[in-house]
Amino acid sequence: DPTNPNVATEAKAAMLDALYLKPPSSFELANQLAQYLTSSSLADDPMVWVYVAAARGQEYSYRCKAGVPKENLLDVRKSALDAAKRVSVLEKNLNSPARVYLRGMYVPNSGPDNDLTVFYGEEEFDKVILGVDRKQSAAEPAAEEPKP
């Protein structure tokens, strides 16, 4: 029952546990739980969406290593990006636990998990996760140093 908060809370815990299984079981189970959770009473919980992004990042990385061409994984990439966007919409505070955890999974060697490092440096992910817009930054003239 997606409206039962107790079931949803248990499913959220199970999703986190699933992410620590060996791939592909990790992301397969997490993706199944995500289908339930994103229509449950926890659909507006930013951590649910962090876990969705992690599962999709794991899947993308696993399938790339298995030789699947990246152009065949565009839906997986988009799903990871959409989940990260959902986190930033639900949680505006850049220092919230959800946003910090998301960044930790994205920036190499910055957290205990690396589920999103496969996308590190991609412009769209930088903008959503780090708040960095390289196009805008490049278009802005550099500020001059004050003269002594």
Side-chain angles (χ1 to χ4, degrees):
D1 175 12
T3 61
N4 185 328
N6 295 326
V7 173
T9 300
E10 290 297 321
K12 179 182 169 186
M15 186 175 182
L16 177 60
D17 290 343
L19 290 169
Y20 289 96
L21 298 173
K22 185 178 178 183
S25 299
S26 59
F27 62 79
E28 290 172 346
L29 180 55
N31 286 336
Q32 289 173 2
L33 289 163
Q35 289 178 355
Y36 167 79
L37 284 166
T38 55
S39 63
S40 76
S41 60
L42 294 181
D44 289 334
D45 181 334
M47 287 307 293
V48 166
W49 293 98
V50 168
Y51 301 160
V52 171
R56 300 308 270 181
Q58 283 186 9
E59 181 177 359
Y60 188 90
S61 180
Y62 177 85
R63 298 212 187 284
C64 282
K65 288 176 185 171
V68 176
K70 288 183 179 181
E71 57 269 12
N72 293 353
L73 297 171
L74 294 177
D75 61 328
V76 177
R77 180 189 176 282
K78 182 182 182 317
S79 183
L81 182 61
D82 288 347
K85 285 178 182 177
R86 187 79 176 132
V87 173
S88 65
V89 166
L90 292 170
E91 185 55 80
K92 302 287 185 212
N93 180 354
L94 290 171
N95 294 314
S96 72
R99 298 286 296 266
V100 169
Y101 192 27
L102 189 69
R103 273 194 310 277
M105 288 190 300
Y106 179 66
V107 177
N109 304 313
S110 66
D113 299 310
N114 64 355
D115 301 323
L116 296 173
T117 57
V118 68
F119 304 116
Y120 184 71
E122 289 191 27
E123 197 169 318
E124 290 178 292
F125 282 88
D126 281 357
K127 186 175 181 181
V128 170
I129 297 174
L130 301 177
V132 174
D133 187 346
R134 285 188 262 158
K135 285 182 184 176
Q136 184 178 358
S137 298
E140 293 174 3
E144 289 187 29
E145 291 289 322
K147 296 184 179 160

